Amino acid sequence: FAHLLSELSWVPAWVANERTLVRPSDAWRLAPDTPRWVARRVAVLPADLSEGPGAALALALGVTDAARPSPSDLVGLLKALRDEYESAVENPANIDKAAKWAMRTLNDVLFGDHGESLEDVPLLARFQDEQIFTADPAVASDPLLRDSWKDHLPILDADKDLRRLHEVLGLTVLDDPESGVKITPLPSGIGDVDQSLAQDALAAAKPFLAALAIANTPSRELDVKRGLKRLEVMACTKLVLRYSFREMTIERTEATSFIAERMEKGHGAIRKKFGTAHLEIDPANTHPDWYSFGPQLADFLGVPTQGDAFAMVLAGTNEDRRRYLASRHVSMEAVESMAAEHESWILELFGT
């Protein structure tokens, strides 16, 4: 009897406004926030069967709860979306939104050992300006890095912060230094710009950046302070980035900033991370592209979620910075404390 209950298609459900019978495990009990582009693609349990006593019955029978789906439920949805996409003459409406919802939700429920359920998971990706489903896309968060390889590799087309999904499925993250991607900066016109202007501008922002980052991520305090201290500046009039990966080399001229990292030996076996910020500067206005550099600096310091905030701080005046940090409830005392640890920061902070 248990076999009949679980394996036969006897549960009434709606699929895209058509009534049908499905196995209990194929039925979905929708949540209030389930997107409509997902709801129309799954077998939806009628409301009178999913509320009240019906909810307990649905749970006992293994009906998928959209508010708490299992990894296997979401893998099944992704496989159904792949089949729909590949069998359709035209791109099905909102299938990309449904796939992105499924990938985001899968990332959020990935805990513990998942066994067979996570083999051959079809993920939405872009390859040569077309959407495809593939089990092994590469991941690239940096826009320039993504654009460089989109014609050579399928790139995951999903939210940028699905780190659990990347790790569990073993995806190649091109932004990761261990991915094998080598990025070589090729600056030119180094002697045609005033290096001190860029150095002083960055030094003036450092105490504000440190106070902001530490207030939001206290556990990274030492990394933030050390990173800012070990960051050099190389200004130039033209910056080209050369990407090398899997015997392919691509040069991009659109880059306006890049932080080249290196490890240097310290005392004993200790290795220290240093960085050189390559900043392209237009001689006409003498300002780097702080809005591109901010997220790169946040990644270098280990606080990637602060990228947009860093861009605002770097691009503003000291008064703009004070007002912005006040809106984030970061006191000037914290800024002054950061500046007091480095003489060059003190001169920039109080010399304006």
Side-chain angles (χ1 to χ4, degrees):
F1 183 60
H3 172 77
L4 295 177
L5 281 177
S6 61
E7 296 302 324
L8 293 186
S9 298
W10 64 273
V11 176
W14 293 94
V15 179
N17 297 323
E18 292 187 7
R19 192 138 211 172
T20 186
L21 295 175
V22 299
R23 295 185 309 165
S25 60
D26 293 334
W28 282 62
R29 178 171 175 252
L30 296 185
D33 59 349
T34 304
R36 63 181 183 277
W37 42 81
V38 173
R40 68 178 296 271
R41 289 183 162 90
V42 297
V44 179
L45 203 65
D48 56 348
L49 296 181
S50 62
E51 299 175 356
L57 178 61
L59 177 63
L61 292 173
V63 171
T64 299
D65 186 349
R68 291 173 292 274
S70 69
S72 59
D73 294 328
L74 296 163
V75 172
L77 175 58
L78 285 167
K79 290 181 178 179
L81 293 172
R82 175 196 59 192
D83 295 342
E84 178 187 357
Y85 181 77
E86 293 179 349
S87 63
V89 177
E90 297 181 0
N91 190 354
N94 294 324
I95 196 168
D96 57 334
K97 293 182 179 180
K100 290 176 181 178
W101 178 88
M103 292 186 292
R104 156 58 67 186
T105 310
L106 178 58
N107 176 83
D108 295 342
V109 301
L110 283 178
F111 297 99
D113 183 13
H114 311 290
E116 299 295 326
S117 64
L118 294 185
E119 290 186 0
D120 189 30
V121 180
L123 302 173
L124 185 68
R126 297 197 71 88
F127 181 56
Q128 297 179 351
D129 293 326
E130 293 186 2
Q131 287 183 320
I132 63 171
F133 281 88
T134 178
D136 58 349
V139 179
S141 298
D142 180 79
L144 197 58
L145 187 61
R146 182 172 61 248
D147 291 344
S148 298
W149 297 106
K150 66 180 181 179
D151 292 333
H152 306 277
L153 300 169
I155 304 295
L156 183 70
D157 189 7
D159 295 349
K160 294 183 178 180
D161 57 342
L162 306 185
R163 297 190 178 187
R164 182 65 178 164
L165 182 72
H166 306 161
E167 177 184 346
V168 172
L169 298 185
L171 302 183
T172 299
V173 181
L174 300 180
D175 305 82
D176 189 334
E178 298 182 359
S179 67
V181 176
K182 182 180 180 181
I183 307 176
T184 304
L186 305 173
S188 59
I190 296 175
D192 298 332
V193 291
D194 190 342
Q195 297 282 337
S196 63
L197 290 178
Q199 293 170 347
D200 292 346
L202 181 57
K206 282 183 177 181
F208 295 92
L209 295 169
L212 180 63
I214 294 169
N216 286 278
T217 317
S219 63
R220 306 294 294 183
E221 179 175 355
L222 290 179
D223 293 326
V224 169
K225 291 179 178 178
R226 290 168 178 167
L228 288 173
K229 182 179 179 181
R230 298 169 182 170
L231 184 65
E232 306 166 342
V233 174
M234 178 178 290
C236 61
T237 58
K238 186 61 179 178
L239 179 62
V240 175
L241 294 183
R242 176 180 293 162
Y243 294 93
S244 301
F245 183 60
R246 295 180 180 174
E247 300 182 355
M248 292 182 290
T249 299
I250 299 173
E251 291 188 358
R252 302 300 299 265
T253 61
E254 303 94 326
T256 57
S257 61
F258 176 72
I259 299 179
E261 301 181 14
R262 68 182 186 278
M263 301 299 295
E264 295 186 2
K265 186 176 181 181
H267 296 290
I270 298 176
R271 293 175 62 82
K272 300 179 180 179
K273 183 174 75 171
F274 288 79
T276 300
H278 295 79
L279 302 174
E280 183 178 283
I281 298 179
D282 183 353
N285 56 35
T286 69
H287 292 298
D289 180 2
W290 294 125
Y291 293 101
S292 295
F293 180 66
Q296 296 171 357
L297 179 58
D299 285 337
F300 175 72
L301 298 179
V303 287
T305 59
Q306 297 299 306
D308 292 340
F310 274 23
M312 295 289 293
V313 169
L314 287 163
T317 64
N318 272 357
E319 181 58 29
D320 295 331
R321 295 162 182 162
R322 291 186 177 96
R323 296 174 62 182
Y324 180 72
L325 264 65
S327 72
R328 302 285 294 270
H329 302 286
V330 180
S331 67
M332 278 303 299
E333 287 76 10
V335 177
E336 294 169 3
S337 176
M338 294 298 108
E341 297 187 28
H342 300 280
E343 182 179 356
S344 60
W345 296 6
I346 296 175
L347 295 177
E348 293 298 337
L349 177 63
F350 300 106
T352 55

